[in-house]
Amino acid sequence: MPQRSAAVLLHRDVGNGREVWIAHMGGPFWARKDEGAWTLPKGLVEVGDTDELAAARREFAEEMGTPPPEADYVALGEFRASSKTFVVFTAETDFGPIEIASNAFELEWPPRSGIVRSFPEVDAAGWFPVEEALTKLAKGQRPILDALLRRLDQAEDR
């Protein structure tokens, strides 16, 4: 059974377009990469999680170091990428923490050195125009932004 991740996708209208909140993946592999090295704040749905929105909010808080903003979250859908299923919740809101304080993971670095180091899961985050976010996001997550834009276009047509 594929792993299941829950994610929060924040968006806002900035007058001349739409921006989304995304995060740069931490650790040495992503350190000097930009294109394809960003992600939605997300994490695994744990055994026993019965409320996937609560799981998405928990994982956002772990990666950002602050809870997600209070907002009207709606389910955007489920998406397959990297042998995972992402369940994504979205909200239109403004958000701006003073600093990012991500949880950490341990990794043997350099490889085969026997030295285990700690790295933040996320080392940066911020608002980006959707067009820019489409190139920054990991390739498998890009369809999530397309789904957001379709949903927003449908809402405007009503």
Side-chain angles (χ1 to χ4, degrees):
M1 185 168 185
Q3 289 185 323
R4 194 165 176 85
S5 284
V8 167
L9 175 56
L10 302 179
H11 61 94
R12 66 183 182 185
D13 186 348
V14 289
N16 60 348
R18 183 141 314 264
E19 291 181 335
V20 292
W21 180 267
I22 58 175
H24 187 264
M25 292 182 266
F29 180 77
W30 303 106
R32 292 184 178 87
K33 294 182 170 94
D34 189 55
E35 186 173 324
W38 293 71
T39 183
L40 302 182
K42 62 169 176 22
L44 291 178
V45 175
E46 297 174 1
V47 174
D49 281 341
T50 57
D51 181 345
E52 290 180 320
L53 174 56
R57 292 175 57 88
R58 175 192 68 229
E59 296 298 328
F60 183 100
E62 286 180 6
E63 291 196 347
M64 296 297 105
T66 188
E70 291 300 321
D72 294 325
Y73 291 89
V74 295
L76 183 59
E78 293 187 10
F79 305 85
R80 294 271 303 150
S82 309
S83 73
K84 286 184 186 176
T85 297
F86 291 85
V87 56
V88 180
F89 298 90
T90 187
E92 183 170 8
T93 185
D94 204 6
F95 176 74
I98 303 292
E99 64 180 301
I100 303 300
S102 177
N103 55 340
F105 67 95
E106 290 188 342
L107 177 70
E108 182 181 359
W109 194 258
R112 295 177 292 286
S113 67
I115 300 168
V116 176
R117 296 179 54 194
S118 182
F119 299 95
E121 281 193 41
V122 165
D123 58 20
W127 290 105
F128 294 92
V130 170
E131 300 76 25
E132 187 178 347
L134 279 167
T135 63
K136 287 182 176 293
L137 271 178
K139 190 174 182 180
Q141 293 181 36
R142 293 173 187 170
I144 298 169
L145 290 188
D146 294 333
L148 173 66
L149 294 175
R150 281 192 305 277
R151 178 184 207 105
L152 294 172
D153 286 346
Q154 290 170 352
E156 287 177 6
D157 290 342
R158 290 183 198 155

